Amino acid sequence: STQSNGGSTTYTNMKLLFLCLVVLASTVVASFDPLNPKRIFLLDERHGNFLFRGNLPETDPHTFADTLLKQYLKDAAQHGGHVLPERFALFDISFLTPTGTGDDEETYLKTEISFFSAHPGVGSLISWPMFGDDKPPADFPPDLRSSMAASLDAWQVDQLPRRVAQVFNMLDRKYDVPIVIYFHCLHGQDRTGEFAAAYQMQYLQQSFQTVWSFNKALGMDDEPKIFGLLWFCEYLNSLAYKLQCRLDDLASEPALSVV
């Protein structure tokens, strides 16, 4: 059918886009950005489990900042009116995008892998490379845009619908030992901002304008990640959310609230 052919073409184009993004990423030099407490924020707490966003959890390219990270997480939890448990399992979700060519982000990711391999009792590393999207929803006719938004999980490289739900489901249950989820990219602003804002819109009922305003203040300016966020906003509207998925409605919005 016509619809089937159009969808197939769209998905094929998205796969080609993915390959192009990988090639482009290989040309980017990822400057080291050590763990920064000013980049760490508590986003959610459920059943004694905690969700944080931040930047690279390393003090140098070869040292995972285990002790320092725990102290900063404790401080961020306290700032949000919570007490971080003394004992917890740490889930480190890394959005770094190594290209397999020995680039900087590959070095940083290997540091994370080595740490959790050597200290399995601390927790686990989850590697979810993120790239963003090549074009914003506004570049497509309304009917096609709506169709693509509704089927976002079928073609989006970053798999935001599936992965955001996975994080929520991890958080929203009771464990014998509580968990702490810390997700990050390099600087804690673009890839991290894309994922954090998606979670906050879906599960914390925050508007697109609120989360975009906060992330913009943190320095989010990479277009593919902004486009990915816009697509997720449109996806939520396909689920009967009523969000204004535009970048220009910021004037009257309140500041972002964190837990």
Side-chain angles (χ1 to χ4, degrees):
S1 66
T2 302
Q3 182 177 359
S4 175
N5 290 338
S8 177
T9 300
T10 299
Y11 303 154
T12 299
N13 288 341
M14 290 299 173
K15 290 178 181 177
L16 291 173
L17 164 63
F18 172 77
L19 295 175
C20 291
L21 287 170
V22 171
V23 172
L24 287 172
S26 68
T27 66
V28 177
V29 176
S31 59
F32 183 75
D33 190 7
L35 184 65
N36 184 349
K38 294 181 179 180
R39 291 275 166 177
I40 298 176
F41 299 91
L42 172 64
L43 296 188
D44 202 2
E45 182 276 329
R46 295 174 188 269
H47 306 295
N49 307 310
F50 291 78
L51 177 65
F52 296 89
R53 63 175 287 176
N55 74 316
L56 185 69
E58 298 174 16
T59 53
D60 64 65
H62 304 287
T63 305
F64 187 86
D66 180 38
T67 301
L68 201 57
L69 176 62
K70 290 177 179 176
Q71 182 58 55
Y72 291 164
L73 295 179
K74 183 182 295 185
D75 293 344
Q78 185 175 16
H79 184 267
H82 296 270
V83 177
L84 198 69
E86 289 297 324
R87 181 170 173 245
F88 58 83
L90 175 65
F91 285 84
D92 172 3
I93 300 180
S94 176
F95 299 142
L96 298 180
T97 54
T99 62
T101 59
D103 60 283
D104 289 344
E105 292 209 358
E106 185 171 342
T107 298
Y108 308 152
L109 182 60
K110 284 182 177 178
T111 297
E112 295 183 273
I113 293 171
S114 296
F115 174 81
F116 285 98
S117 295
H119 304 87
V122 172
S124 301
L125 171 68
I126 300 173
S127 178
W128 284 345
M130 288 185 66
F131 299 90
D133 293 308
D134 183 53
K135 294 182 179 181
D139 279 8
F140 296 86
D143 289 347
L144 179 57
R145 180 194 316 154
S146 297
S147 175
M148 290 176 65
S151 60
L152 188 65
D153 204 34
W155 61 263
Q156 191 184 48
V157 174
D158 292 342
Q159 302 177 49
L160 284 177
R162 188 178 313 166
R163 289 175 171 175
V164 169
Q166 186 173 339
V167 166
F168 175 81
N169 290 334
M170 289 172 64
L171 202 69
D172 194 34
R173 56 175 292 187
K174 294 183 178 181
Y175 302 89
D176 292 335
V177 176
I179 68 169
V180 168
I181 302 172
Y182 179 78
F183 63 85
H184 70 90
C185 51
L186 182 58
H187 304 295
Q189 63 186 48
D190 289 304
R191 289 165 286 188
T192 297
E194 179 187 348
F195 194 90
Y199 183 95
Q200 289 167 275
M201 287 190 295
Q202 183 163 13
Y203 294 112
L204 302 183
Q205 292 76 53
Q206 292 179 346
S207 71
F208 177 86
Q209 286 70 36
T210 297
V211 297
W212 164 241
S213 181
F214 180 76
N215 280 291
K216 186 178 181 181
L218 281 180
M220 186 176 185
D221 61 2
D222 187 51
E223 282 194 345
K225 314 310 182 297
I226 296 170
F227 296 164
L229 180 55
L230 284 164
W231 274 114
F232 190 81
C233 183
E234 296 286 356
Y235 162 77
L236 290 179
N237 281 344
S238 77
L239 302 179
Y241 285 65
K242 297 181 179 179
L243 297 165
Q244 297 295 319
C245 306
R246 300 199 302 272
L247 300 177
D248 55 354
D249 295 334
L250 304 177
S252 61
E253 287 294 327
L256 177 72
S257 61
V258 293
V259 177

